[in-house]
Amino acid sequence: MIRRSGVTIEDVAARVGVSRQTVSRVLNDSPNVKPEVRSRILAAIEALGYVPNLSARRMGGGRSYLVLAINDRVRTLENWQARRGNDWVDQMLFGGMTSCEAQGWHLVFELVDTEAALARRGLANALASLRPDGVILTPPHCDNPELIGLLAERGIPCARIGHSDGQATVDVFMDEVAAAGAATRHLIAQGHSRIAFIAGAANYGSSALRIAGYRAALAEAGLAGEWVGDGDFRFETAERVIDAWLSGPDQPTAVIAANDEMAFAALHTASARGLRVPEDLAVVSFEDTPGVRFAVPPLTAIRQPVADMIARACSSLIDIVEGRGRPAAHEIPFELVCRASTGAVGA
């Protein structure tokens, strides 16, 4: 069916032989419309290709039909300004926009500072100007109780990406501990016992969880040594940490990086020191952005289900607003994708 922008609500009403107000009530899912009349109106909307005007829907039903997703302002702008791109944002928009579009809603994307006072002010300004029906908090905003409290005060349903309690909010997450454990066990199975972990920013909740999963897998295998470094999700920071490891007398034979950018730092550092990957240094990453497939060698990675997590968050928020659901926790599975950057020790 072709959507025709010139078709009006009056055209739908005329086709069915009802008032404009009756069509509006159906569009806004209001009561007091007979089932038979509702069915005829929906059939006319489909046949005519009518697309409801968002402003009219907002006026008629008291809703905005908007889901607001906020992201880390400083880190996102840094990536864009450095022309590094941001696959997290790409996948976030893909999952959220397609999920909302399927139900006649819209996703709005905003950048908000992570500093506590600025974060609250930024979210409050966005709420005032956009009047969203639901809000998605991505890391590290999902860990900010001020923002959770603000949304609760306003009575706006909230989804948090990266949390698992699912009580007052919709929580959508992957098992970060299990993912890091899977990456570590993969390397252990290939004969590695000196495995390093380059962690992300400390204000991201996933960072501590991934370190915990790495340490648990080492303990499970009876391996006492560990290398844990703070890479802050940045190439240059990770490069310094990994170079220091490879300069020491007891060097790791494998590195797990908490994002792809830091995994690229491991590849660059190994190359600069004349080390072969994976023969001298195996590398595993988190994220699995498109670039890892074209790295030399291609990177083994934990594939984060970002699009699926945001899509679930949007659909869950819409269900709550439309009276079909309530806050709950939703685990989305990760995947370990094995490529040429890992191999047996000394292979």
mmCIF file of all heavy atoms in Angstrom, residues 1-9 11 15 44-52:
data_model
loop_
_atom_site.group_PDB
_atom_site.id
_atom_site.type_symbol
_atom_site.label_atom_id
_atom_site.label_comp_id
_atom_site.label_asym_id
_atom_site.label_seq_id
_atom_site.Cartn_x
_atom_site.Cartn_y
_atom_site.Cartn_z
ATOM 1 N N MET A 1 0.834 -1.196 0.000
ATOM 2 C CA MET A 1 0.000 0.000 0.000
ATOM 3 C C MET A 1 0.870 1.248 0.000
ATOM 4 O O MET A 1 1.867 1.319 0.698
ATOM 5 C CB MET A 1 -0.902 0.016 1.241
ATOM 6 C CG MET A 1 -1.815 1.222 1.280
ATOM 7 S SD MET A 1 -2.469 1.532 2.933
ATOM 8 C CE MET A 1 -0.993 1.823 3.849
ATOM 9 N N ILE A 2 0.505 2.242 -0.807
ATOM 10 C CA ILE A 2 1.236 3.500 -0.883
ATOM 11 C C ILE A 2 0.620 4.498 0.079
ATOM 12 O O ILE A 2 -0.589 4.734 0.068
ATOM 13 C CB ILE A 2 1.200 4.069 -2.324
ATOM 14 C CG1 ILE A 2 1.866 3.084 -3.289
ATOM 15 C CG2 ILE A 2 1.901 5.413 -2.382
ATOM 16 C CD1 ILE A 2 1.752 3.495 -4.735
ATOM 17 N N ARG A 3 1.459 5.095 0.926
ATOM 18 C CA ARG A 3 1.005 6.139 1.836
ATOM 19 C C ARG A 3 0.876 7.446 1.073
ATOM 20 O O ARG A 3 1.817 7.888 0.416
ATOM 21 C CB ARG A 3 1.999 6.292 2.986
ATOM 22 C CG ARG A 3 2.074 5.052 3.887
ATOM 23 C CD ARG A 3 0.835 4.897 4.721
ATOM 24 N NE ARG A 3 0.917 3.727 5.575
ATOM 25 C CZ ARG A 3 -0.060 3.324 6.364
ATOM 26 N NH1 ARG A 3 -1.201 4.000 6.395
ATOM 27 N NH2 ARG A 3 0.077 2.250 7.116
ATOM 28 N N ARG A 4 -0.290 8.067 1.145
ATOM 29 C CA ARG A 4 -0.541 9.282 0.375
ATOM 30 C C ARG A 4 -0.637 10.463 1.329
ATOM 31 O O ARG A 4 -1.523 10.530 2.169
ATOM 32 C CB ARG A 4 -1.839 9.150 -0.430
ATOM 33 C CG ARG A 4 -1.831 7.945 -1.380
ATOM 34 C CD ARG A 4 -3.119 7.875 -2.196
ATOM 35 N NE ARG A 4 -3.135 6.722 -3.060
ATOM 36 C CZ ARG A 4 -3.645 5.547 -2.760
ATOM 37 N NH1 ARG A 4 -4.186 5.379 -1.557
ATOM 38 N NH2 ARG A 4 -3.625 4.551 -3.605
ATOM 39 N N SER A 5 0.295 11.392 1.183
ATOM 40 C CA SER A 5 0.344 12.517 2.101
ATOM 41 C C SER A 5 -0.837 13.453 1.949
ATOM 42 O O SER A 5 -1.167 14.210 2.853
ATOM 43 C CB SER A 5 1.651 13.295 1.893
ATOM 44 O OG SER A 5 1.733 13.766 0.560
ATOM 45 N N GLY A 6 -1.531 13.430 0.776
ATOM 46 C CA GLY A 6 -2.639 14.357 0.568
ATOM 47 C C GLY A 6 -3.951 13.915 1.184
ATOM 48 O O GLY A 6 -4.924 14.674 1.210
ATOM 49 N N VAL A 7 -4.023 12.682 1.667
ATOM 50 C CA VAL A 7 -5.254 12.170 2.262
ATOM 51 C C VAL A 7 -5.421 12.759 3.664
ATOM 52 O O VAL A 7 -4.481 12.785 4.449
ATOM 53 C CB VAL A 7 -5.221 10.630 2.332
ATOM 54 C CG1 VAL A 7 -6.486 10.099 3.005
ATOM 55 C CG2 VAL A 7 -5.072 10.042 0.939
ATOM 56 N N THR A 8 -6.643 13.246 3.963
ATOM 57 C CA THR A 8 -6.900 13.874 5.256
ATOM 58 C C THR A 8 -7.826 13.020 6.111
ATOM 59 O O THR A 8 -8.432 12.056 5.630
ATOM 60 C CB THR A 8 -7.544 15.257 5.061
ATOM 61 O OG1 THR A 8 -8.859 15.070 4.508
ATOM 62 C CG2 THR A 8 -6.704 16.122 4.118
ATOM 63 N N ILE A 9 -7.932 13.414 7.366
ATOM 64 C CA ILE A 9 -8.843 12.713 8.265
ATOM 65 C C ILE A 9 -10.287 12.861 7.799
ATOM 66 O O ILE A 9 -11.122 11.968 7.977
ATOM 67 C CB ILE A 9 -8.657 13.212 9.718
ATOM 68 C CG1 ILE A 9 -9.379 12.290 10.709
ATOM 69 C CG2 ILE A 9 -9.115 14.651 9.872
ATOM 70 C CD1 ILE A 9 -9.048 12.602 12.160
ATOM 71 N N ASP A 11 -11.207 12.868 4.683
ATOM 72 C CA ASP A 11 -11.413 11.880 3.616
ATOM 73 C C ASP A 11 -11.773 10.519 4.203
ATOM 74 O O ASP A 11 -12.639 9.810 3.672
ATOM 75 C CB ASP A 11 -10.144 11.754 2.770
ATOM 76 C CG ASP A 11 -9.807 13.030 2.022
ATOM 77 O OD1 ASP A 11 -10.756 13.750 1.630
ATOM 78 O OD2 ASP A 11 -8.609 13.311 1.824
ATOM 79 N N ARG A 15 -15.430 8.588 3.711
ATOM 80 C CA ARG A 15 -15.498 7.242 3.125
ATOM 81 C C ARG A 15 -16.336 6.308 3.990
ATOM 82 O O ARG A 15 -17.076 5.457 3.491
ATOM 83 C CB ARG A 15 -14.091 6.681 2.947
ATOM 84 C CG ARG A 15 -14.044 5.327 2.233
ATOM 85 C CD ARG A 15 -12.604 4.845 2.117
ATOM 86 N NE ARG A 15 -12.522 3.566 1.430
ATOM 87 C CZ ARG A 15 -12.179 3.401 0.168
ATOM 88 N NH1 ARG A 15 -11.900 4.468 -0.588
ATOM 89 N NH2 ARG A 15 -12.093 2.196 -0.364
ATOM 90 N N ALA A 44 -10.638 1.772 6.120
ATOM 91 C CA ALA A 44 -10.575 2.951 5.261
ATOM 92 C C ALA A 44 -9.192 3.611 5.335
ATOM 93 O O ALA A 44 -8.650 4.072 4.322
ATOM 94 C CB ALA A 44 -11.656 3.942 5.664
ATOM 95 N N ILE A 45 -8.646 3.667 6.530
ATOM 96 C CA ILE A 45 -7.294 4.225 6.701
ATOM 97 C C ILE A 45 -6.298 3.438 5.866
ATOM 98 O O ILE A 45 -5.444 4.008 5.175
ATOM 99 C CB ILE A 45 -6.902 4.214 8.187
ATOM 100 C CG1 ILE A 45 -7.714 5.261 8.960
ATOM 101 C CG2 ILE A 45 -5.407 4.461 8.368
ATOM 102 C CD1 ILE A 45 -7.557 5.169 10.466
ATOM 103 N N GLU A 46 -6.423 2.110 5.883
ATOM 104 C CA GLU A 46 -5.523 1.261 5.121
ATOM 105 C C GLU A 46 -5.737 1.442 3.625
ATOM 106 O O GLU A 46 -4.770 1.574 2.852
ATOM 107 C CB GLU A 46 -5.753 -0.205 5.522
ATOM 108 C CG GLU A 46 -4.833 -1.194 4.849
ATOM 109 C CD GLU A 46 -3.404 -1.105 5.349
ATOM 110 O OE1 GLU A 46 -3.174 -0.520 6.419
ATOM 111 O OE2 GLU A 46 -2.507 -1.621 4.643
ATOM 112 N N ALA A 47 -6.983 1.472 3.206
ATOM 113 C CA ALA A 47 -7.284 1.583 1.773
ATOM 114 C C ALA A 47 -6.850 2.924 1.197
ATOM 115 O O ALA A 47 -6.348 3.002 0.069
ATOM 116 C CB ALA A 47 -8.784 1.370 1.551
ATOM 117 N N LEU A 48 -7.021 3.995 1.964
ATOM 118 C CA LEU A 48 -6.691 5.332 1.466
ATOM 119 C C LEU A 48 -5.212 5.679 1.652
ATOM 120 O O LEU A 48 -4.718 6.642 1.050
ATOM 121 C CB LEU A 48 -7.541 6.383 2.189
ATOM 122 C CG LEU A 48 -9.051 6.356 1.876
ATOM 123 C CD1 LEU A 48 -9.791 7.298 2.812
ATOM 124 C CD2 LEU A 48 -9.299 6.730 0.421
ATOM 125 N N GLY A 49 -4.521 4.898 2.491
ATOM 126 C CA GLY A 49 -3.124 5.211 2.765
ATOM 127 C C GLY A 49 -2.968 6.450 3.622
ATOM 128 O O GLY A 49 -2.007 7.208 3.468
ATOM 129 N N TYR A 50 -3.912 6.656 4.539
ATOM 130 C CA TYR A 50 -3.877 7.858 5.367
ATOM 131 C C TYR A 50 -2.780 7.758 6.426
ATOM 132 O O TYR A 50 -2.641 6.745 7.116
ATOM 133 C CB TYR A 50 -5.234 8.061 6.052
ATOM 134 C CG TYR A 50 -5.239 9.156 7.093
ATOM 135 C CD1 TYR A 50 -4.999 10.477 6.733
ATOM 136 C CD2 TYR A 50 -5.491 8.872 8.431
ATOM 137 C CE1 TYR A 50 -4.998 11.488 7.687
ATOM 138 C CE2 TYR A 50 -5.508 9.867 9.389
ATOM 139 C CZ TYR A 50 -5.256 11.175 9.012
ATOM 140 O OH TYR A 50 -5.250 12.174 9.947
ATOM 141 N N VAL A 51 -1.985 8.813 6.560
ATOM 142 C CA VAL A 51 -0.967 8.911 7.601
ATOM 143 C C VAL A 51 -1.382 10.006 8.569
ATOM 144 O O VAL A 51 -1.443 11.181 8.186
ATOM 145 C CB VAL A 51 0.419 9.250 7.009
ATOM 146 C CG1 VAL A 51 1.448 9.351 8.120
ATOM 147 C CG2 VAL A 51 0.841 8.206 5.986
ATOM 148 N N PRO A 52 -1.712 9.672 9.814
ATOM 149 C CA PRO A 52 -2.151 10.701 10.768
ATOM 150 C C PRO A 52 -1.081 11.755 11.002
ATOM 151 O O PRO A 52 0.107 11.439 11.103
ATOM 152 C CB PRO A 52 -2.425 9.898 12.047
ATOM 153 C CG PRO A 52 -2.595 8.488 11.598
ATOM 154 C CD PRO A 52 -1.727 8.328 10.399
#
